């Protein structure tokens, strides 16, 4: 249950608990909460456990420069740390850090590693059961690992050939492709999930977690088939938010491990993992002539420049340029 927010005191007194409460009041994703809190804790430790109330812009500059110079962090990591600290100071503590002048990271931005179609199929073929289907969705629909794990029955729109991704990164909703070749297997998986749900109901369980207190607004929703996870966990567990016994979705880290093993078996000698399927989805769409705006929409990117990085992956070898050795 790595996506379940930890319980917080009704009247938090510790600084980090207060920060978490504030982040949740802003309706930020739980992954954002975890990321921001990780950077804030590291910042506090770097400054010898001083309370951030007594720190400011020069301390932020010092820390961010340390990340770049001493710890050799990437541009993106430094940028994420900056976002976390600015959020804490400006929004939570109401402290203006002024104009920052830290040393930027010198590590160059890299282009994402992608699978060829043959490599992606080879990795998928080394997976079995629901993990094979989940990897196929990451490649065929461009889903993140967390998104495929959290799919609910109503998210699979068979009649419109699409998948609805709810509350993904940045709390956005989007639609993406439903590969026709996966329709039969997905229908079977949903039948399995609903049969498991019915068994849970028969045994006195069967409620699923709903976000944003929807269980209060829609009384029957927690036991409704449409809200059940497509890829349910193999066993019931206690939900730390309510102490109720529930069936959560499959663990994302388990999927990641299964994909890593499959990559090794397929003898793919690249720095890659489960997220490589998502990069490969975008790259192959670009190769097939899909316009960049449509790819941006399906990937759920806020900024077109994020999507445009895939134009660098589709390199000169695909523009008709031939090596002299091959002439």
């Amino acid at each position: 249950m790595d996506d379940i927010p930890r319980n917080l005191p009704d009247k938090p007194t510790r600084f980090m608990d207060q920060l978490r409460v504030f982040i949740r009041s802003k309706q930020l994703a739980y992954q954002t909460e975890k990321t921001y809190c990780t950077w804030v804790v590291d910042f506090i430790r770097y400054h010898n456990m001083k309370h951030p109330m007594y720190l400011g812009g020069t301390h932020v500059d010092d820390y961010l420069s340390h990340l770049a110079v001493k710890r050799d962090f990437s541009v993106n990591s430094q940028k994420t740390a900056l976002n976390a600290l600015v959020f804490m100071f400006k929004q939570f503590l109401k402290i203006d850090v002024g104009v920052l002048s830290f040393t930027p990271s010198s590590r160059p931005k890299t282009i994402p590693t992608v699978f060829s179609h043959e490599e992606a199929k080879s990795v998928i073929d080394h997976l079995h059961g629901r993990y094979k289907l989940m990897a196929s969705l990451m490649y065929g629909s461009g889903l993140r690992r967390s998104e495929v794990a959290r799919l609910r029955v109503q998210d699979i729109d068979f009649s419109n050939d699409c998948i609805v991704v709810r509350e993904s990164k940045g709390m956005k909703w989007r639609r993406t492709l439903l590969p026709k070749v996966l329709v039969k297997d997905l229908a079977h998986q949903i039948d399995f999930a609903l049969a498991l749900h019915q068994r849970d109901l028969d045994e006195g369980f069967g409620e699923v977690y709903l976000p944003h207190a929807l269980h209060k607004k829609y009384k029957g929703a927690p036991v409704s088939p449409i809200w059940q996870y497509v890829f349910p966990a193999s066993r019931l567990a206690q939900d730390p938010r309510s102490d109720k016994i529930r069936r959560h979705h499959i663990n994302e880290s388990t999927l990641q491990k299964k994909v890593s093993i499959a990559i090794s078996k397929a003898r793919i000698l690249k720095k890659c993992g489960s997220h490589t399927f998502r990069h490969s989805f975008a790259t192959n769409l670009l190769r097939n002539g899909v316009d960049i705006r449509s790819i941006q929409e399906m990937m759920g990117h806020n900024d077109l420049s994020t999507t445009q990085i895939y134009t660098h992956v589709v390199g000169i070898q695909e523009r008709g340029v031939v090596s002299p050795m091959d002439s």
Side-chain angles (χ1 to χ4, degrees):
M1 299 187 181
D2 50 4
D3 64 334
I4 296 179
R6 50 173 286 192
N7 284 334
L8 297 172
D10 293 334
K11 295 181 179 180
T13 56
R14 297 173 66 246
F15 176 78
M16 291 307 300
D17 286 342
Q18 293 172 345
L19 177 60
R20 287 180 183 275
V21 169
F22 181 78
I23 291 173
R24 293 179 193 183
S25 73
K26 296 296 183 181
Q27 298 290 302
L28 299 184
Y30 183 51
Q31 185 59 50
T32 302
E33 175 187 323
K34 291 193 292 184
T35 300
Y36 278 14
C37 288
T38 297
W39 284 113
V40 168
V41 168
D42 194 62
F43 172 75
I44 293 172
R45 286 174 177 165
Y46 176 74
H47 289 294
N48 300 315
M49 305 304 290
K50 288 184 180 178
H51 196 288
M53 184 66 72
Y54 305 107
L55 303 175
T58 56
H59 299 93
V60 174
D61 280 336
D62 185 29
Y63 174 70
L64 294 176
S65 297
H66 167 75
L67 293 182
V69 177
K70 299 295 185 180
R71 294 167 66 176
D72 195 30
F73 273 43
S74 68
V75 173
N76 286 339
S77 293
Q78 190 187 46
K79 186 184 298 183
T80 304
L82 170 63
N83 291 341
L85 297 178
V86 168
F87 176 87
M88 177 189 68
F89 278 109
K90 287 192 174 181
Q91 296 197 43
F92 179 54
L93 295 175
K94 307 301 182 185
I95 295 175
D96 186 2
V97 294
V99 178
L100 299 175
S101 57
F102 57 89
T103 303
S105 174
S106 59
R107 277 182 58 184
K109 289 186 177 181
T110 59
I111 61 174
T113 302
V114 298
F115 295 129
S116 68
H117 178 67
E118 291 72 21
E119 288 173 333
K121 292 292 290 180
S122 177
V123 174
I124 291 170
D125 287 343
H126 280 87
L127 291 162
H128 305 283
R130 55 186 176 175
Y131 298 107
K132 182 173 185 176
L133 180 55
M134 295 173 84
S136 298
L137 284 168
M138 288 190 287
Y139 178 50
S141 305
L143 300 182
R144 298 178 177 90
R145 184 175 64 248
S146 60
E147 292 168 349
V148 71
R150 299 174 195 174
L151 283 174
R152 303 195 189 233
V153 171
Q154 63 180 325
D155 299 338
I156 312 299
D157 190 343
F158 291 109
S159 60
N160 289 307
D161 297 324
C162 71
I163 294 175
V164 179
V165 185
R166 305 169 192 270
E167 298 177 5
S168 60
K169 189 174 182 180
M171 302 300 286
K172 300 185 298 292
W173 288 35
R174 72 180 193 275
R175 291 191 178 203
T176 188
L177 300 174
L178 170 59
K180 290 182 172 59
V181 71
L182 300 180
V183 166
K184 185 177 179 180
D185 288 340
L186 261 176
H188 287 160
Q189 177 62 31
I190 289 174
D191 288 343
F192 167 79
L194 294 182
L196 190 60
H197 171 57
Q198 185 59 53
R199 191 183 78 181
D200 290 343
L201 288 173
D202 294 341
E203 295 176 355
F205 304 106
E207 282 195 12
V208 71
Y209 166 74
L210 298 184
H212 311 308
L214 287 176
H215 64 283
K216 296 179 180 178
K217 185 176 182 180
Y218 306 108
K219 297 299 183 182
V223 296
S224 171
I226 67 172
W227 281 103
Q228 304 310 307
Y229 290 115
V230 175
F231 299 101
S234 57
R235 62 188 67 181
L236 296 166
Q238 187 178 49
D239 189 331
R241 291 162 295 203
S242 63
D243 293 332
K244 288 187 176 182
I245 302 299
R246 289 175 168 156
R247 191 178 296 277
H248 201 52
H249 58 67
I250 195 170
N251 195 302
E252 298 169 32
S253 61
T254 304
L255 172 60
Q256 185 177 21
K257 291 175 185 175
K258 294 286 185 181
V259 170
S260 295
I261 293 171
I263 289 171
S264 296
K265 289 181 178 179
R267 298 184 63 80
I268 307 297
L269 304 178
K270 297 178 178 179
K271 185 181 179 181
C272 52
S274 56
H275 202 69
T276 309
F277 284 120
R278 177 170 157 84
H279 293 318
S280 305
F281 166 80
T283 304
N284 282 323
L285 288 181
L286 197 59
R287 286 189 179 117
N288 292 332
V290 178
D291 68 275
I292 196 78
R293 289 286 183 182
S294 296
I295 297 173
Q296 178 191 9
E297 182 180 344
M298 286 184 281
M299 294 290 282
H301 291 156
N302 278 334
D303 195 331
L304 183 62
S305 64
T306 305
T307 316
Q308 286 174 329
I309 193 170
Y310 297 109
T311 62
H312 299 290
V313 182
V314 181
I316 57 174
Q317 75 280 6
E318 294 169 86
R319 301 175 200 161
V321 181
V322 180
S323 167
M325 286 293 294
D326 295 325
S327 300

